[in-house]
Amino acid sequence: MPRRYLFGPVPGTFAKQNLAAQREAGACRAFNAEGDADLVIRSGDAWADVLARLPLDWLPDYVVLYLPYTTIPECLCSAPLPVVGLALDWRLLWHSYRRRLGDCDLVLADPEGAAALARDGFPHVHPALLCGTESSFHKLPASSAPRDVDVLVVGNLNPAVHPERVSLLPRLAKLGERWRVAFHPGVTGQAYRDLLARARIVVQQGAGGDGDRLIFEAPLSGALLFRAAAVGQGPDEVPQLPEWVSFTPTTLEPLLEQFLTDEDERVRRARAAGDAARGGRFDALWEGCATRIEEDWSVLEEARNPACSLHDRRATRPLLAGGRGPAARGPDVGSGPGGGGPDLSRVCCVAKRAGPRRLLGRPSPRRFRRRGCRGGPALPGRGGLLPGQPGRPAESG
C-alpha cells in the first residue's frame, strides 16, 4: 500500500486539477486554510488539531509542503513526520526559501534551481520536474479554429521580473510589418487556452513559473514552442521533455522566418512535441516523485530522526539513489547523466549527517528552542553558537 501524505497549502481548484488520482486512491489529502480542500489547517493550529480532523483510519506518513506564494503553518514544520518541500519559482522566492528550506528534510526544485540552492548551502535540494500541466489541458478537444496569430508571447512581462523577456519584445514587434504578432501578458484561464490554440508559434524567453509550463502547454495546444537556448536544459538532456526550437539572439528571426514560411514542417514539429507532452501532467510528474520517495524511505526517515537537529539536517549530504555514493555539491549538482551530478531520472533523498557547516538564513529563536537545537543563535540562559559556526552571512540572493 502506498504511503499516505498531506499536500498543501493549495487551493481547492489546484487539488481537483492536479491531485485527483492520488486523492481518489486514498494516498493524498490536500489542505488549505480556506476549507475548499480535503482538510483545513490554519496558521494557529497545533499538530494535535490536525490529527483530530483526520479520520481514525487515515494517518499521514509524511507531509508535502507546496512552498511558493503561501504561508506555511508552523505545526507542519514541527510535525513528527518527514517533510518534503516543493520549491517552485525559486528565482523570485530566493530569500524566502533560504529561510524556509531548513524546515524540510527533502526539497525538490527544477534542475537549475536545485543546483543553485545546493551551491548556497542546501544540499538536500534535489532536481525534479514540477512544471506539469493541469488535467484540463489534456482534455481539450482538437481545435478547428484557424491559427490567426503567427507569433505569440504570453506570461509575465514585468521588466523587474523578466528583463530578458521584455528585451525581446521590440525585435518581435518589428516582425509585425509582415506577420501577425501578439503580446498578451497576464492572460489566464480559458482565454489563455484559446490564445494558445490560435497561435502558430509561441516564443518564450526566460524561465520560471508560466514559462516552464509552456514547455507542455504550447505543444498540447498545437503551437510550436521557441525557447531561448540558454534557459535551463534542452530536451536532448532531459528526455521527459517535449521538443522545442532553441534560438539565440542571432538565430531568432531566421528561425521564425523558416517555420512561418514552411507550415508543413511547423505542423510536423508541433505534433511530435504534442505527443511527447502528453506525459507532462502535474499528477503524473508528482506520482513519479512520490514513487522515488517511497524507494528511498529509510534515508528520509533517518533525516527526520529527532536526535538530528535542524543544524544537522541542513548539513546533510545527498546520496544518489541506488547506492552510487555521495553526490557532488556545487555546479555539478543536477547536471544530469554523465555530468558528475545526480541522474535527473531519479529523485534523491537526504541521508546521513555530515557535521556542522555554515547556516544560511538564521531561523527564529522559537524554532530552535522548540526543537532543542544547539546550533542556533544564542538564547537567554543558553550557550552560544556551535564551535566554528559563523554568524549570519550577508545576503547573496
Side-chain angles (χ1 to χ4, degrees), residues 383-397:
L385 303 177
L386 284 174
Q389 179 186 345
R392 178 180 177 182
E395 299 288 349
S396 61

Side-chain angles (χ1 to χ4, degrees), residues 90-91 94 109-119 127 207 230-233 333-334:
W90 56 272
R91 293 172 181 83
W94 179 266
D110 66 55
E112 188 180 355
L117 289 165
R119 286 195 300 268
V231 176
Q233 295 179 308
V333 174

Side-chain angles (χ1 to χ4, degrees), residues 367-391:
R367 188 177 304 162
F368 278 95
R369 186 182 297 114
R370 183 180 67 242
R371 291 182 172 174
C373 175
R374 296 181 302 130
L379 302 177
R382 303 205 36 194
L385 303 177
L386 284 174
Q389 179 186 345

Side-chain angles (χ1 to χ4, degrees), residues 51-294:
L51 294 180
R53 296 174 190 148
L54 291 170
L56 294 178
D57 60 347
W58 199 98
L59 292 177
D61 297 297
Y62 61 101
V63 177
V64 181
L65 299 181
Y66 194 78
L67 298 174
Y69 307 108
T70 190
T71 300
I72 304 298
E74 283 294 318
C75 65
L76 299 177
C77 301
S78 59
L81 301 173
V83 176
V84 178
L86 306 185
L88 290 79
D89 226 353
W90 56 272
R91 293 172 181 83
L92 294 181
L93 301 174
W94 179 266
H95 294 291
S96 171
Y97 284 166
R98 292 179 73 206
R99 287 158 176 78
R100 177 57 72 186
L101 299 188
D103 293 326
C104 303
D105 305 294
L106 168 68
V107 179
L108 304 180
D110 66 55
E112 188 180 355
L117 289 165
R119 286 195 300 268
D120 206 46
F122 295 95
H124 64 310
V125 182
H126 296 283
L129 292 176
L130 301 173
C131 58
T133 59
E134 296 181 347
S135 60
S136 59
F137 252 96
H138 298 260
K139 300 175 182 177
L140 294 175
S143 175
S144 59
R147 294 192 175 269
D148 57 353
V149 177
D150 295 318
V151 180
L152 174 65
V153 178
V154 292
N156 191 336
L157 298 182
N158 186 331
V161 177
H162 291 292
E164 70 287 351
R165 188 178 298 178
V166 176
S167 67
L168 199 66
L169 300 184
R171 296 176 58 187
L172 294 176
K174 292 180 180 179
L175 299 177
E177 299 175 358
R178 181 179 180 188
W179 304 105
R180 294 163 295 188
V181 181
F183 306 147
H184 286 275
V187 64
T188 59
Q190 188 59 45
Y192 172 72
R193 299 184 184 95
D194 292 342
L195 271 174
L196 292 181
R198 293 169 52 196
R200 298 173 67 195
I201 292 176
V202 177
V203 178
Q204 188 254 320
Q205 169 97 12
D210 50 12
D212 289 339
R213 289 191 297 274
L214 268 176
I215 296 172
F216 298 105
E217 292 171 346
L220 283 172
S221 303
L224 180 61
L225 178 65
F226 272 47
R227 199 165 191 245
V231 176
Q233 295 179 308
D236 293 337
E237 297 169 293
V238 187
Q240 301 98 318
L241 298 182
E243 183 181 12
W244 63 73
V245 177
S246 296
F247 68 87
T248 64
T250 59
T251 62
L252 174 60
E253 286 87 354
L255 285 172
L256 285 172
E257 183 75 17
Q258 173 187 339
F259 285 99
L260 288 174
T261 55
D262 189 348
E263 178 65 6
D264 291 339
E265 178 63 13
R266 186 204 70 81
V267 171
R268 186 192 69 80
R269 294 282 294 268
R271 286 177 177 173
D275 292 339
R278 299 192 185 282
R281 293 172 52 142
F282 181 92
D283 56 358
L285 297 177
W286 165 246
E287 187 63 28
C289 297
T291 299
R292 293 171 187 127
I293 289 173
E294 296 239 4

Side-chain angles (χ1 to χ4, degrees), residues 22-44:
Q22 291 83 353
R23 294 164 71 204
E24 291 175 4
C28 168
R29 286 186 181 266
F31 67 87
N32 58 32
E34 289 74 28
D36 58 352
D38 303 316
L39 181 66
V40 176
I41 303 180
R42 299 185 177 89
S43 58

